[in-house]
Amino acid sequence: VMEGIFHKKATSLGFVSGMLAGLVVVTPAAGVVQPMGTFFLGIIASIVCYGAIIMKSKLGYDDSLDVFGIHGMAGIVGAIGLTFFQRAPANSMMLQLWYQTEGVLVSIVYAGVVTLILLVLVDKTLGLKLAKEDEMSGMDRSLHGEQGYGMLNPT
């Protein structure tokens, strides 16, 4: 829908990405949010995820499968947004909002620290980047000796 609005055409990748964002946003809310609440969470997630994917293009960071733009952002929207659509809240709305936000922040810090540790380990052992020639010929060819996708592979 977002592609149709902004680009006057929709792609199958956009369709599947929207479905995935809807599934991700409802996951933390499952069991505590009524169906109409999940509808609104889906609308909010579609806007936020589309914006995150557009920002990826503008900022130029590498997220080839839009993992952060879809899973990360829809998960955050679902985890925090469920506060406003709960069936029978166990806590006050502000207290629940704090709990949900705290959980999201802890998750972001944990994922960031573990990712940084893994990046350092991979860089020290295998390296993070291929030589330009190997990258252009494709990892299938340069690392595995097989024909795959690449800019320099003979046809």
Side-chain angles (χ1 to χ4, degrees), residues 44-129:
I44 295 165
S46 67
I47 295 166
V48 170
C49 291
Y50 185 78
I53 292 169
I54 296 301
M55 287 305 294
K56 174 193 77 166
S57 300
K58 292 184 189 267
L59 296 175
Y61 67 87
D62 186 17
D63 187 11
S64 58
L65 297 175
D66 294 324
V67 173
F68 178 74
I70 295 173
H71 284 88
M73 294 309 295
I76 290 170
V77 168
I80 294 174
L82 70 84
T83 302
F84 305 103
F85 301 104
Q86 292 183 81
R87 283 189 185 138
N91 303 305
S92 71
M93 187 179 292
M94 290 307 293
L95 184 59
Q96 189 64 41
L97 179 61
W98 169 247
Y99 288 154
Q100 296 303 118
T101 303
E102 185 179 39
V104 166
L105 293 173
V106 167
S107 298
I108 289 169
V109 169
Y110 174 77
V113 169
V114 171
T115 299
L116 184 61
I117 291 168
L118 291 173
L119 280 171
V120 169
L121 287 173
V122 169
D123 189 35
K124 297 295 182 197
T125 56
L126 303 171
L128 288 177
K129 189 117 172 109

Side-chain angles (χ1 to χ4, degrees), residues 29-52:
V32 296
V33 174
Q34 300 253 2
M36 190 54 92
T38 61
F39 175 76
F40 287 115
L41 284 173
I43 290 172
I44 295 165
S46 67
I47 295 166
V48 170
C49 291
Y50 185 78

Side-chain angles (χ1 to χ4, degrees), residues 3 10-20:
E3 284 180 327
T11 65
S12 58
L13 178 60
F15 178 75
V16 172
S17 296
M19 287 178 24
L20 184 58

